[in-house]
């Protein structure tokens, strides 16, 4: 993976949470820690991701930077990884090896269809944001690396079939017409338990269900059914138009009186809700109300910013904790050399631990740690950050609830200003009712 001939003399090799030279040992140490915490299941030590780019669309340095962004977003600072950018072929590509166990919570990375598609979406978004062609499939069954490469070269039978099926569905309004369009496109059809197609020169039939859930026979029929109503239903209706249609439909059922009673009751409740909120918060004019909305919004932003700061600091402290634990293990190996009968043979046997010791020392210095803190001290710091994080999340949730209330109040406030006479009567009636209830 880090072959100098492939990685521009190792200039295009980076890592997170470990050193490229000692990554295998650090991965193993994290896994041992996961085992002690009862989190390690299975024998997988690491996972391998490949991110490729079209020939000539990106230089090696940019590809490496985008690969780091990709790895950081997928792994969220929880897993050690090594990334190398290979430039030995006409298409530049990144290899990302990451630990199967997290050094943050020691949970194993879950690799399944959902995580695969999420990884694809992250990669494609990063590519789109940088004006590059997307390089991973989404919303479909997981592909092998070979099939994925064929997909992007346009040589995959499945990729071609998806295009043909979509085109036939878009131009058909029933299942028979769809099959006719597929025949006209040159596909041989086999109907039985599972619908399948075979293109000219293709050796085997391709099952529709192998293309993903979107292409099952059931969903094809559902998509065709929607086509039948395309000419009948306007494509774009405003919110006001949809509301008018709903209200008109309700009234034409004959229960006009019931509808009007419901509308008045609803307005009364909303008016009372607005009045009570404004009174309780001493918002005596519209300017004060707008300032109140702005204050709540700024408080939410401040909570978001603090959560981001806490998350970053937590990640740093967990990384320091992981490095310190590994450093202590290596330090013990080095100290045991003093009691070894043959110190030279001992050092040779534990060369990896010696190398990791020096690497960890430098990593910790880069993180601002010159003196190794005790396990208890760093754990206490992490716990305090987690408590603050939980409290800030609760605070943000309360503020967001308040924001939702304010959105409704703001709408009601506007309506109340527009109809002062009716509103005054409703409020007076409601206040009388409230006073009677309280007196009783």
């Amino acid at each position: 993976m880090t072959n100098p001939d492939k990685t521009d003399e190792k200039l295009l090799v980076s890592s997170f949470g470990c050193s490229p030279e000692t990554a295998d040992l650090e991965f193993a140490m994290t896994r041992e820690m996961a085992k002690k915490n009862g989190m390690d299941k299975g024998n997988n030590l690491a996972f391998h991701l490949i991110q490729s780019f079209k020939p000539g669309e990106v230089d090696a340095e940019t590809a490496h930077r985008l690969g780091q962004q990709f790895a950081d977003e997928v792994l969220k600072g929880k897993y050690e990884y090594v990334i190398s950018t290979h430039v030995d072929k006409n298409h530049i590509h990144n290899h990302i090896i990451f630990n199967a166990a997290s050094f943050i919570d020691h949970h194993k990375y879950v690799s399944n269809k959902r995580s695969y598609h999420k990884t694809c979406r992250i990669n494609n978004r990063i590519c789109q944001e940088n004006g590059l062609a997307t390089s991973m499939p989404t919303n479909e069954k997981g592909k092998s690396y070979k099939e994925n490469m064929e997909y992007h070269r346009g040589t995959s039978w499945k990729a071609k079939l998806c295009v043909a099926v979509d085109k036939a569905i878009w131009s058909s309004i029933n299942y028979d017409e769809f099959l006719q369009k597929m025949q006209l496109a040159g596909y041989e059809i086999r109907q039985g338990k599972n619908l399948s197609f075979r293109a000219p020169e293709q050796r085997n039939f391709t099952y529709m269900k192998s293309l993903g859930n979107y292409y099952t026979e059931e969903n094809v029929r559902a998509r065709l059914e929607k086509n039948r109503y395309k000419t009948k239903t306007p494509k774009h209706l405003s919110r006001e138009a949809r509301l008018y249609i709903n209200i008109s439909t309700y009234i034409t059922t004959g229960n006009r009186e019931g509808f009007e009673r419901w509308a008045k009751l609803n307005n009364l409740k909303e008016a009372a809700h607005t009045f009570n909120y404004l009174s309780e918060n001493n918002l005596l004019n519209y300017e004060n109300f707008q300032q109140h909305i702005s204050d709540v919004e700024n408080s939410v932003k401040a909570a978001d910013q603090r959560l981001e700061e806490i998350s970053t600091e937590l990640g740093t402290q967990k990384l320091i904790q992981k490095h310190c634990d590994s450093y202590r293990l290596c330090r013990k190996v080095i100290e045991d050399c003093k009691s070894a009968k043959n110190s030279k043979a001992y050092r040779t046997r534990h060369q990896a631990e010696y190398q990791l010791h020096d690497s960890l020392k430098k990593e910790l210095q880069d993180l601002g740690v010159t003196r190794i803190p005790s396990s208890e001290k760093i754990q206490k710091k992490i716990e305090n950050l987690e408590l603050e994080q939980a409290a800030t999340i609760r605070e943000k949730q309360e503020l967001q609830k308040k924001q939702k209330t304010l959105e409704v109040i703001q709408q009601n406030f506007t309506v109340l200003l527009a109809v002062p006479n009716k509103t005054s009567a409703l409020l007076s009636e409601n206040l009388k009712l409230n006073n009677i209830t309280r007196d009783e």
Side-chain angles (χ1 to χ4, degrees):
M1 176 178 165
T2 56
N3 185 335
D5 295 331
K6 296 183 178 183
T7 59
D8 194 16
E9 297 298 324
K10 287 194 177 183
L11 292 176
L12 300 175
V13 178
S14 300
S15 62
F16 169 77
C18 62
S19 171
E21 294 78 15
T22 58
D24 55 340
L25 187 57
E26 292 187 68
F27 280 20
M29 285 184 169
T30 298
R31 187 179 173 187
E32 285 301 314
M33 191 64 68
K35 282 182 178 179
K36 289 180 181 177
N37 286 272
M39 299 292 186
D40 192 15
K41 297 176 181 178
N43 299 316
N44 202 13
L45 179 61
F47 288 97
H48 185 190
L49 283 175
I50 298 176
Q51 180 191 38
S52 61
F53 302 92
K54 284 190 174 181
E57 75 168 353
V58 66
D59 58 62
E61 288 74 18
T62 302
H64 192 74
R65 175 177 57 79
L66 296 180
Q68 288 177 293
Q69 181 184 348
F70 174 52
D72 288 340
E73 290 197 30
V74 170
L75 303 176
K76 299 179 180 178
K78 293 182 177 181
Y79 302 85
E80 302 126 305
Y81 71 77
V82 177
I83 175 173
S84 65
T85 302
H86 287 196
V87 296
D88 58 317
K89 295 183 179 179
N90 63 340
H91 66 284
I92 295 174
H93 56 282
N94 292 318
H95 288 265
I96 303 167
I97 303 291
F98 66 93
N99 201 344
S102 165
F103 68 84
I104 297 290
D105 55 19
H106 301 124
H107 285 286
K108 295 295 289 288
Y109 180 82
V110 178
S111 177
N112 55 25
K113 187 185 292 186
R114 180 180 292 180
S115 62
Y116 169 76
H117 288 314
K118 185 177 180 181
T119 298
C120 291
R121 288 194 297 271
I122 290 172
N123 173 77
N124 289 346
R125 177 179 54 75
I126 291 172
C127 288
Q128 289 169 354
E129 288 173 353
N130 289 273
L132 306 175
T134 57
S135 59
M136 286 187 178
T138 56
N139 296 327
E140 53 196 279
K141 189 176 180 180
K143 296 181 175 69
S144 65
Y145 178 70
K146 178 178 180 296
E147 187 179 1
N148 193 27
M149 290 299 101
E150 289 177 349
Y151 179 91
H152 296 298
R153 295 190 195 105
T155 58
S156 166
W157 293 116
K158 287 185 179 181
K160 291 179 178 178
L161 180 57
C162 285
V163 173
V165 168
D166 287 336
K167 189 174 180 180
I169 290 175
W170 293 334
S171 58
S172 305
I173 60 171
N174 58 50
Y175 193 69
D176 290 336
E177 186 180 353
F178 161 69
L179 294 178
Q180 289 174 2
K181 295 285 175 67
M182 290 299 293
Q183 282 183 324
L184 290 173
Y187 280 90
E188 184 180 348
I189 303 170
R190 187 168 68 186
Q191 291 180 279
K193 185 177 179 180
N194 295 297
L195 178 65
S196 59
F197 295 96
R198 181 167 64 185
E201 301 180 2
Q202 185 180 358
R203 185 167 57 181
N204 299 316
F205 279 84
T206 300
Y207 287 114
M208 285 286 285
K209 67 177 184 178
S210 70
L211 303 180
N213 186 57
Y214 191 58
Y215 293 94
T216 61
E217 185 175 342
E218 181 184 358
N219 278 330
V220 167
R221 289 182 181 274
R223 290 165 67 187
L224 289 165
E225 188 68 19
K226 289 180 182 178
N227 287 352
R228 296 177 62 186
Y229 300 97
K230 281 182 179 177
T231 57
K232 298 181 181 179
T233 306
K235 289 185 178 180
H236 301 290
L237 280 176
S238 68
R239 187 176 175 185
E240 291 79 6
R242 289 197 301 270
L243 179 61
Y244 180 81
I245 290 171
N246 291 336
I247 292 174
S248 299
T249 303
Y250 189 98
I251 293 176
T252 53
T253 59
N255 191 13
R256 185 187 300 267
E257 186 178 350
F259 176 82
E260 290 175 352
R261 281 201 306 269
W262 173 86
K264 286 180 179 179
L265 180 61
N266 186 64
N267 289 339
L268 177 62
K269 287 181 178 178
E270 291 299 338
H273 186 198
T274 301
F275 182 83
N276 290 338
Y277 188 92
L278 298 177
S279 299
E280 289 168 4
N281 290 276
N282 197 30
L283 302 172
L284 303 180
N285 57 57
Y286 195 63
E287 289 73 21
N288 289 345
F289 180 65
Q290 290 296 326
Q291 184 61 49
H292 183 65
I293 292 173
S294 179
D295 291 344
V296 173
E297 184 179 347
N298 289 334
S299 295
V300 171
K301 289 179 180 178
D304 276 330
Q305 184 178 350
R306 182 54 190 150
L307 282 172
E308 190 175 337
E309 291 170 355
I310 293 172
S311 179
T312 301
E313 181 61 18
L314 261 176
T316 301
Q317 292 303 320
K318 296 256 182 158
L319 185 59
I320 290 173
Q321 184 183 50
K322 176 251 178 187
H323 283 340
C324 287
D325 290 341
S326 299
Y327 181 86
R328 291 188 188 93
L329 291 173
C330 293
R331 192 69 199 165
K332 185 177 185 307
V333 170
I334 292 173
E335 289 174 351
D336 287 347
C337 180
K338 298 174 183 178
S339 58
K341 293 181 179 179
N342 187 332
S343 59
K344 187 175 181 180
Y346 181 90
R347 287 179 66 92
T348 302
R349 190 164 63 253
H350 294 282
Q351 185 177 359
E353 284 87 346
Y354 275 86
Q355 185 180 7
L356 179 57
H357 173 273
D358 295 338
S359 175
L360 289 169
K361 188 175 181 180
K362 184 180 182 305
E363 291 272 359
L364 287 166
Q365 286 174 346
D366 291 342
L367 290 168
V369 180
T370 55
R371 187 174 180 179
I372 305 300
S374 66
S375 300
E376 293 76 15
K377 185 176 181 180
I378 194 168
Q379 182 60 35
K380 184 65 176 176
K381 193 170 186 178
I382 289 172
E383 288 173 358
N384 287 338
L385 283 168
E386 288 174 339
L387 287 172
E388 185 183 355
Q389 184 182 49
T392 308
I393 289 173
R394 287 194 298 271
E395 178 188 347
K396 181 186 172 182
Q397 289 172 341
E398 289 301 317
L399 287 166
Q400 287 176 323
K401 286 180 184 177
K402 203 167 192 176
Q403 271 189 317
K404 289 181 180 178
T405 300
L406 286 170
E407 286 174 8
V408 175
I409 297 299
Q410 190 173 29
Q411 293 169 5
N412 294 341
F413 199 76
T414 304
V415 172
L416 295 175
L417 287 174
V419 285
N421 293 332
K422 184 178 179 182
T423 299
S424 298
L426 289 171
L427 285 174
S428 298
E429 183 180 350
N430 185 58
L431 289 173
K432 289 177 182 176
L433 291 171
N434 286 341
N435 289 333
I436 291 171
T437 303
R438 289 191 187 114
D439 293 339
E440 291 176 348

